[in-house]
Amino acid sequence: MTESAEPELAELLPEPQPPAADPETPASDPAPEPGTDAAGLPGSASDAMPGTRPAALPGTPPAPDAAEQAPATGVITGRLPRIGDAPPAKPEPESAEAAPADDRPIARFAAPFENTDDKPLVAILLIDGGAPELDRAGLAALPFPVSFALDPLDPATPDHAAIYRAAGREVVMLATGLPKGAQPSDVEVAFQSMAQNLPEAVAVMDLAAGGFQNDRPLASLVVPVVQAQGRGLVTWDEGLNAADQVARRADLAATTIFRDLAAGGTDRFALRRTLERVLFKAGQEGRVAVATEATPELVAGLLEWTIEGRGATVALAPLTAVLTVD
């Protein structure tokens, strides 16, 4: 069977024609036989005879043309592109670099908030005086937005702030560490020290009495430091309030405390009268901030007021929602 196959294959392959001998050119090595490479090793017939295609065995369908096998990408892969080929794919443009994140505490640690109904805003600040018996976990779980102001010089403040922050609440730094007659270097050192215990504070809040807001020289030193730390400023709506004036000129996000909720009394009826004034003020100005000591009685009165729906005309909000730049 082997002997009969070899004559048939030889008959199908074209007989190579030797080149004409040149009398002045020395004889070259004989060309390799079809089916072998230059070294005489077995290879393909197409390798031995460029431009030709090996004959197929009897009964074998002819191989498709190489041009038909090449993908129609328009990229030269051993042939020129044909008419009708798809154009070369364009490289994808590099995505634009994302805008750098705002690392200021006022932005980074702000509580999420949406005023979908576009209501006037009321921010409630509860002042944590540091009493060990205060139910901070209960305060942090209140069913409405509220922010907490703490004394940064209290050694227990980091632990107290962690409870509020774990619940997603905003914390505010009370300016308790400013020395009397402070010089610029004193102010910077004081705020660096206060920031160590409350690094996530979104704002600095002046004291209700004996603070810096009505001392223009001191306020002019405080505002740039607060702004450099990336925090907002909270002062009281009392006196000339030089600190708020300086902050507005410096484009520092600021707000004033319209009223201490405990000023008119701490019983439920006195609290409701005060809150009615707060609602009226918010309707006039669009946003307002109030504050009070975080006592169980006042917190219970606030909770009852919200459950009864008396504040339905406003949206209770975290502090950062009412901090504005004029």
Side-chain angles (χ1 to χ4, degrees):
M1 183 178 296
T2 305
E3 295 178 355
S4 60
E6 290 180 355
E8 292 177 1
L9 181 59
E11 292 175 0
L12 292 174
L13 291 175
E15 184 176 351
Q17 298 295 329
D22 188 346
E24 297 181 0
T25 304
S28 58
D29 294 335
E33 296 183 2
T36 63
D37 60 11
L41 299 177
S44 66
S46 60
D47 292 339
M49 301 179 65
T52 64
R53 180 168 46 184
L57 295 175
T60 303
D65 186 73
E68 298 176 357
Q69 294 179 344
T73 61
V75 181
I76 297 177
T77 55
R79 67 170 180 85
L80 295 176
R82 295 178 175 178
I83 297 176
D85 285 348
K90 296 182 179 179
E92 292 292 334
E94 296 183 2
S95 58
E97 294 184 1
D102 190 345
D103 289 333
R104 298 178 304 157
I106 191 175
R108 184 177 177 186
F109 304 117
F113 174 73
E114 291 184 6
N115 186 15
T116 55
D117 295 327
D118 198 25
K119 294 181 178 181
L121 303 179
V122 174
I124 299 176
L125 263 171
L126 295 180
I127 302 173
D128 183 344
E133 68 276 7
L134 189 63
D135 182 11
R136 293 176 177 85
L139 292 175
L142 285 171
F144 54 87
V146 63
S147 304
F148 296 91
L150 301 95
D151 179 2
L153 300 186
D154 185 345
T157 285
D159 294 333
H160 298 165
I163 297 173
Y164 301 133
R165 291 294 302 139
R169 306 298 188 175
E170 294 178 355
V171 294
V172 177
M173 179 193 305
L174 290 170
T176 56
L178 289 175
K180 296 295 183 182
Q183 299 300 311
S185 58
D186 300 328
V187 173
E188 293 181 3
V189 171
F191 273 99
Q192 289 175 2
S193 176
M194 289 187 286
Q196 289 179 357
N197 277 354
L198 275 176
E200 298 183 359
V202 298
V204 173
M205 181 177 178
D206 196 13
L207 304 178
F212 60 83
Q213 70 177 57
N214 290 320
D215 184 340
R216 184 171 292 274
L218 182 56
S220 298
L221 298 177
V222 168
V223 167
V225 176
V226 173
Q227 191 168 37
Q229 287 190 349
R231 312 182 199 277
L233 181 67
V234 181
T235 54
W236 297 82
D237 189 12
E238 295 177 358
L240 296 176
N241 198 347
D244 188 66
Q245 297 173 15
V246 175
R248 303 294 179 181
R249 286 198 296 269
D251 291 333
L252 174 64
T255 192
T256 57
I257 299 298
F258 168 63
R259 189 155 302 211
D260 182 348
L261 294 180
T266 58
D267 63 89
R268 51 186 283 185
F269 299 105
L271 178 60
R272 289 185 179 184
R273 287 194 299 269
T274 302
L275 287 171
E276 288 300 321
R277 297 189 183 96
V278 172
L279 297 182
F280 181 75
K281 183 74 170 178
Q284 284 184 318
E285 300 189 358
R287 61 188 65 204
V288 68
V290 295
T292 189
E293 188 79 17
T295 64
E297 185 179 12
L298 280 171
V299 172
L302 275 173
L303 184 58
E304 181 181 347
W305 179 74
T306 58
I307 291 176
E308 291 177 354
R310 293 181 178 271
T313 58
V314 299
L316 297 181
L319 176 67
T320 52
V322 302
L323 288 173
T324 60
V325 178
D326 292 342

